[in-house]
Amino acid sequence: MTYFLQQIINTGVVSGFYGLLAVSYVLMHGITGKVNLAFGALAVWAGSLTITFALTLMLAMPGKTLIPVALALLVALLSTALLGAVIERVVIRPLVHAGTLAMLVATLGLAIALEELMRLMNNSREIWLMPVLNEAIILADLDGFTLQVSRIQLIVVLTSVLLSLALIWFIERHPFGRLWRAVAQDARMAELCGIDTGQALAITFLVASGLTAAAGAMLAVYYGSVSFYSGLIIGLKTLFVAVVGGLSSIAGAFCGALLLGLLETFWSAYVGADYRDVASFSALTALMIFFPSGLFPANAVARGP
């Protein structure tokens, strides 16, 4: 039972990563009706920048760990959000009124380009960050097994929850959230009512890129490394999560992320990590077959407060 409870704790970290990425798909699809396949690569980009800047600052500040990591996180978040704004202007906006296939191909090519750029920047070598705030806090010691949680786990879970609550409040209560819901319901009617849909798209993509950057940066600090070629796999997983959640519901995205986090954590704990991705995609595919409209088909993010 103690081992089971430990896996429940571990689930919170994984679900937090997937949840922040999944809602990025929901925000993007809600306002454009299209899918951006580059979110996974953007997350890995933020993670790679976090590790690179943290190691550089550690060399410049010998003996310091937390300050370089905190500054690296800030740089990664701001630079990735800025990159997202550039991508929205150069790639996304020209293709908003094009076919769905054009957006898929363009963002897939963008994801591959980002991954290759990261590989070249690091000379085809994966770089590692030393463990940060990994001191264990003992919660219980039962049946010879210690139930524990590390400080970095608490920070990741708490940050994910706070960002999730902030996003829900932003969409439900902020004036921009009302504009976003109007564009998500009917973009042409919103334009007739005087809403600048281009500005709404820019702000939406900026928020989505910020959430993606936060997920990637926390992923890098928690695990200590990110693989160049993990962006597409991470992106596809979270796209499946968003689709299972309904692709139009923030709550559905987080619930889908929780399901995937539970599956991956318990599969790794009781079966092994070798076929974890196979099990994840199989389970998500089965859910899509049995629930073609998602677990939360109602457009929850587009309703009024």
Side-chain angles (χ1 to χ4, degrees), residues 28 32 35-46 49 76-96 102-115 117-118 198 201-210 212-213:
M28 174 72 179
T32 64
V35 172
N36 173 21
L37 293 179
F39 278 133
L42 271 180
V44 175
W45 175 271
L49 287 182
L77 290 174
L78 293 178
S79 58
T80 305
L82 178 61
L83 176 62
V86 174
I87 291 173
E88 182 275 329
R89 179 66 67 172
V90 177
V91 179
I92 303 300
R93 186 172 298 193
L95 297 176
V96 167
M103 181 71 76
L104 289 175
V105 172
T107 53
L108 177 60
L110 177 62
I112 295 173
L114 287 175
E115 289 181 348
L117 181 58
M118 284 184 284
L201 174 62
I203 297 176
T204 298
F205 202 84
L206 184 64
V207 173
S209 299
T212 300

Side-chain angles (χ1 to χ4, degrees), residues 184-274:
Q185 288 178 346
D186 193 330
R188 292 188 177 181
M189 182 58 68
E191 288 180 341
L192 291 175
C193 293
I195 296 176
D196 187 347
T197 56
Q199 183 184 37
L201 174 62
I203 297 176
T204 298
F205 202 84
L206 184 64
V207 173
S209 299
L211 294 172
T212 300
M218 290 191 298
L219 184 72
V221 174
Y222 182 74
Y223 289 107
S225 179
V226 289
S227 175
F228 310 126
Y229 302 114
S230 61
L232 286 176
I233 294 296
I234 294 174
L236 286 175
K237 278 186 183 180
T238 48
L239 174 58
F240 272 55
V241 167
V243 172
V244 167
L247 201 56
S248 60
S249 168
I250 291 177
F254 286 122
C255 288
L258 179 60
L259 290 175
L260 181 58
L262 285 168
L263 172 64
E264 288 199 347
T265 301
F266 280 92
W267 183 276
S268 299
Y270 290 99
V271 180
D274 292 340

Side-chain angles (χ1 to χ4, degrees), residues 23-101:
V23 295
S24 300
Y25 284 102
V26 171
L27 292 173
M28 174 72 179
H29 183 270
I31 202 169
T32 64
K34 296 178 176 62
V35 172
N36 173 21
L37 293 179
F39 278 133
L42 271 180
V44 175
W45 175 271
S48 179
L49 287 182
T50 300
I51 296 176
T52 300
F53 277 99
L55 294 177
T56 302
L57 292 174
M58 285 178 186
L59 292 176
M61 305 168 64
K64 302 291 185 181
T65 302
L66 293 182
I67 294 177
V69 170
L71 292 175
L73 287 170
L74 181 61
V75 170
L77 290 174
L78 293 178
S79 58
T80 305
L82 178 61
L83 176 62
V86 174
I87 291 173
E88 182 275 329
R89 179 66 67 172
V90 177
V91 179
I92 303 300
R93 186 172 298 193
L95 297 176
V96 167
H97 300 294
T100 301
L101 185 59

Side-chain angles (χ1 to χ4, degrees), residues 13 127 200 269:
V13 178
I127 53 178

